[in-house]
């Protein structure tokens, strides 16, 4: 792990997309700690199977861990919330980054996947975009009478 990247192997990716993702020093430290604790090699899966650390954990184990975490934290079950929702949050949180950068960091082969499935522009982000837009002002518009009827805002 000394290079500060995680290698995502094609055989473990549903799209068969092998890629490398840089990680922060914080992530690198946590992974190094886990590797030492479980005596894993540098090439071991990030989320190993409990009984065979050379293999990646199964969907069933991941789902079990997620549900256990919800119970331990007191979170109520919500439809659509799971490991995949973390990818949606990641894509939405990094929406201001160039799309190519986001695709590389998230391991998405195409931008279409990100745009169609992952990014969510919430109401707060939409309001912020409107507030930060360039304004067009003209001294000539100051004397123009505005219409009295206005659209109803809900």
């Amino acid at each position: 792990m000394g290079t500060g990247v995680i290698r995502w192997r094609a055989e473990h990716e549903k799209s068969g997309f092998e890629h490398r993702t840089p990680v922060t020093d914080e992530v690198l430290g946590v992974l190094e700690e886990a590797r030492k604790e479980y005596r894993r090699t540098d090439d071991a899966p990030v989320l190993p199977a409990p009984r065979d650390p050379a293999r990646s954990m199964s969907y069933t184990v991941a789902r079990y861990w997620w549900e256990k975490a919800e119970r331990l934290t007191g979170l109520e079950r919500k439809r659509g919330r799971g490991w995949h929702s973390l990818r949606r949050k990641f894509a939405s949180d990094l929406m201001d980054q160039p799309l190519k950068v986001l695709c590389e960091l998230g391991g998405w082969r195409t931008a279409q996947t990100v745009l169609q499935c992952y990014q969510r522009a919430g109401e707060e982000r939409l309001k912020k975009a409107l507030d930060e837009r360039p304004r067009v002002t003209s001294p000539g518009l100051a004397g123009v009478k505005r219409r009295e009827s206005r659209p109803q805002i809900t």
Side-chain angles (χ1 to χ4, degrees):
M1 297 292 313
T3 59
V5 298
I6 294 176
R7 177 179 151 220
W8 301 91
R9 296 181 190 172
E11 66 264 24
H12 299 297
E13 293 290 307
K14 69 180 178 184
S15 65
F17 179 48
E18 179 150 336
H19 58 282
R20 294 168 129 7
T21 304
V23 294
T24 64
D25 289 340
E26 180 183 17
V27 169
L28 196 57
V30 168
L31 292 174
E32 283 293 327
E33 222 176 277
R35 186 178 63 82
K36 288 175 188 170
E37 184 177 335
Y38 297 106
R39 295 183 199 93
R40 291 186 280 150
T41 66
D42 284 347
D43 207 29
V46 173
L47 298 172
R51 294 191 181 143
D52 183 0
R55 299 185 52 177
S56 294
M57 75 163 59
S58 68
Y59 168 81
T60 308
V61 171
R63 186 84 221 151
Y64 171 77
W65 283 6
W66 185 271
E67 290 171 0
K68 185 175 181 179
E70 283 180 327
R71 280 192 309 278
L72 291 172
T73 58
L75 287 174
E76 69 178 69
R77 296 276 306 130
K78 255 191 179 173
R79 184 170 164 24
R81 183 170 53 196
W83 294 103
H84 219 63
S85 65
L86 297 177
R87 287 180 59 78
R88 282 192 297 277
K89 180 167 177 28
F90 178 82
S92 295
D93 285 353
L94 295 180
M95 196 178 285
D96 294 335
Q97 295 299 314
L99 195 51
K100 180 66 175 164
V101 170
L102 177 59
C103 288
E104 292 289 329
L105 287 173
W108 290 287
R109 188 185 304 228
T110 68
Q112 289 299 350
T113 304
V114 175
L115 296 172
Q116 291 174 350
C117 305
Y118 289 95
Q119 284 187 332
R120 303 278 196 264
E123 190 174 320
E124 286 304 313
R125 185 173 292 275
L126 296 173
K127 286 178 182 177
K128 181 181 175 201
L130 286 174
D131 288 343
E132 294 175 356
R133 77 191 186 285
R135 303 276 198 292
V136 177
T137 58
S138 171
L141 293 177
V144 176
K145 186 175 181 183
R146 296 194 174 127
R147 292 188 330 191
E148 293 302 317
S149 65
R150 295 178 184 240
Q152 191 171 27
I153 299 174
T154 58

